[in-house]
Amino acid sequence: MHLIDADVHNAFADIRAELRPFLPRLWQEFADRHGIAVPPAGYVSPVGVQREDARPPSGGLAGSDPDHLIKDHMDRHSVDFAILTGSHILGASVHFDPDWGTALAAAYNMNLSGRWLDRSERFRGSIIVSHSDPQAAAREIERCSADKRFVQVLMAAGSNRLFGQRFFHPIYEAAQAHGLPVAIHPGTEGAGTADTPTPAGRPTRYFEWHNIVPINAMAHVNSLVCEGVFEKFPKLKFVAVECGIAWLPHLMWRMDKNYKGLRSQVPWLKRLPSEYIREHVRLTTQPTEEPENPAHLLQIFEMIGSPDVVLFSSDYPHWDFDNPAMALPALPKEWKERIFWRNAAELYGLNPVTSGR
Amino acid sequence: MKRHPVAKASDIPPGGRKIVRAGAAEVGLFNVGGEIRAYRNVCPHAGAPVCSGRVSGTSMPSRVYEYIYGMEGCILRCPWHGWEFDLRTGEHLVDPQNRLKAVPVENEALERIPLEQSDGTVYVLLPG
């Protein structure tokens, strides 16, 4: 069977050396004096974020060597395509200085193209944008979209505004114009300009923070539907990477129920909220929920009501990596094919037969 | 069917409403644009006294971030969960399969005379 991994973290071997050549002169000088760092969420994992065993022989950060990543992950697990989601860069969206964030995101994309996408046809890139400046993000999407190896737009899930709001629409307009899904990835909840990881306050430790990350994705998906983003941009797809899955039926049911009484506030919606979700929202599997009875997860998939919504992801080389051979419960054949590769192939326009694996 | 005299037509001017008892049933009478409509006072969703809800217009289907007010006087909004029903058809705006239970109405007014000018009795027809 084919396999497309929707969340693989390429890392910098040396962030300054890799990004500096692609920064405008002013920001080169800034980087030389102050280094390059994106705001951290501030939560420290007791096991580290990177898998110890995934460290390349060169000794750099796990995921920092393209050849080793292919060998250690893609060849070992027969991954046709890896959707690269970066590392230590999504926080560009939550820098206090949006111009610095925009410059970093653009430099990342330029570096990705040469250092990763040129290395293997099996790598597909995400255009990382800073959502703090949607007009600049739209220009970055325009710039990168000519290179078809970029298959989605990716931005930090942490934000101080909900993503359905009109402030962000230039990003969706540009993404739709170029047939690119827009994805979010966690890690920046509570970092930089982002609001607290939960509206009830800040979790105390990484464990607690990591548990509650999906609350943020729920809020964004809710906002995208209610603000009419999928009416305004009817071809847009939105991917919540690494944000969990089991909450989706709850949200769909709650939205549909409320819509029956509160419809008049959102007269631009023409269908039940859950119908927009099934058509436009995609979720990646890792970290897969592991109920005591694995069949319950399958029931959750059924409750979502469409086999098109879920995409397999491993999160290699992070500590909570999902092994594609063991991560999901036994699935019916159609669901298995959809989740492990067909949904991603359709979403990203990939043909695994030609991956060259 | 049993014919219950429940009101004088003049009691229910256009835009007006009267909740009456007919046998064991509660029925809401609404004058919608000169026509009397009658519905059981039980919301098909959760059993609320739906006919006591607010009568209004609502926001019409529109483009994103656009509000167009319409259907003025045609919307009955259930007091419990806010479901909007079109008083002309009884249909829930979101799910037209879900509708108010209509009750047949007869009145003694001649059809060409506006209801509010007649003193005809309004009857509702209920089983039993």
Side-chain angles (χ1 to χ4, degrees), chain A residues 89-304:
Chain A
I89 189 64
L90 279 174
S93 278
V94 295
H95 258 303
F96 295 120
D97 183 340
D99 294 313
W100 179 219
T102 293
L104 281 178
Y108 168 88
N109 295 329
M110 291 183 226
N111 179 58
L112 185 80
S113 169
R115 186 170 146 77
W116 288 85
L117 304 183
D118 285 353
R119 168 63 190 81
S120 170
E121 276 290 302
R122 292 162 67 196
F123 291 143
R124 295 297 153 136
S126 304
I127 302 168
I128 288 187
V129 297
S130 165
H131 60 54
S132 295
D133 186 345
Q135 278 77 20
R139 288 194 295 275
E140 181 63 9
I141 294 166
E142 292 284 334
R143 188 186 68 74
C144 295
S145 62
D147 182 346
K148 297 304 174 197
R149 299 173 304 175
F150 285 104
V151 294
Q152 72 179 354
V153 175
L154 178 62
M155 55 194 202
S159 170
N160 54 26
R161 287 185 178 89
L162 291 164
F163 286 143
Q165 292 179 352
R166 64 199 82 188
F167 176 81
F168 297 108
H169 291 193
I171 296 175
Y172 308 136
E173 187 176 2
Q176 176 179 266
H178 296 286
L180 295 164
V182 173
I184 59 167
H185 187 293
T188 46
E189 294 76 3
T193 58
D195 273 339
T196 55
T198 89
R202 291 180 187 276
T204 312
R205 300 174 186 86
Y206 182 87
F207 167 57
E208 185 184 342
W209 172 80
H210 196 275
N211 294 340
I212 206 66
V213 150
I215 203 175
N216 192 53
M218 288 177 76
H220 288 312
V221 168
N222 181 41
S223 167
L224 285 156
V225 172
C226 296
E227 295 270 348
V229 166
F230 302 122
E231 276 293 332
K232 192 169 168 186
F233 305 104
K235 288 185 287 179
L236 183 71
K237 297 279 197 280
F238 184 83
V239 192
V241 179
E242 205 177 340
C243 293
I245 290 168
W247 49 266
L248 192 62
H250 162 78
L251 182 65
M252 290 164 109
W253 293 335
R254 193 171 171 97
M255 290 172 83
D256 284 359
K257 176 166 175 157
N258 276 341
Y259 179 68
K260 289 173 186 166
L262 307 177
R263 177 217 63 89
S264 58
Q265 284 194 320
V266 287
W268 41 83
L269 297 189
K270 306 297 190 297
R271 294 182 280 153
L272 290 174
S274 63
E275 295 177 47
Y276 291 100
I277 288 176
R278 274 186 216 104
E279 182 177 340
H280 295 278
V281 174
R282 300 290 176 262
L283 303 178
T284 68
T285 53
Q286 182 279 340
T288 307
E289 286 101 336
E290 295 174 359
E292 266 181 55
N293 177 353
H296 288 168
L297 188 62
L298 193 54
Q299 289 172 10
I300 293 280
F301 290 167
E302 286 164 3
M303 290 172 202
I304 291 170

Side-chain angles (χ1 to χ4, degrees), chain B:
Chain B
M1 294 292 248
K2 195 170 173 206
R3 203 159 177 258
H4 299 265
V6 287
K8 293 285 181 197
S10 56
D11 294 343
I12 317 162
R17 164 205 359 226
K18 192 173 169 76
I19 295 174
V20 297
R21 182 163 285 278
E26 265 195 14
V27 173
L29 302 167
F30 299 86
N31 184 329
V32 188
E35 265 188 72
I36 299 283
R37 307 278 179 182
Y39 297 103
R40 294 286 295 271
N41 192 16
V42 180
C43 184
H45 170 221
V50 60
C51 295
S52 62
R54 193 174 355 138
V55 174
S56 66
T58 192
S59 51
M60 304 298 287
S62 62
R63 288 180 300 179
V64 174
Y65 297 148
E66 190 176 62
Y67 288 105
I68 303 164
Y69 194 76
M71 294 176 79
E72 193 143 20
C74 296
I75 298 294
L76 172 65
R77 202 150 189 168
C78 183
W80 284 7
H81 302 99
W83 286 29
E84 297 166 293
F85 294 95
D86 184 340
L87 278 171
R88 297 166 301 185
T89 60
E91 288 175 354
H92 178 212
L93 294 197
V94 171
D95 175 13
Q97 301 301 314
N98 233 315
R99 55 172 75 210
L100 299 174
K101 193 161 172 34
V103 177
V105 183
E106 286 180 2
N107 69 75
E108 286 175 344
L110 292 171
E111 278 184 12
R112 274 159 301 187
I113 300 174
L115 274 166
E116 66 273 23
Q117 290 169 22
S118 89
D119 203 26
T121 301
V122 176
Y123 297 88
V124 296
L125 304 180
L126 288 165

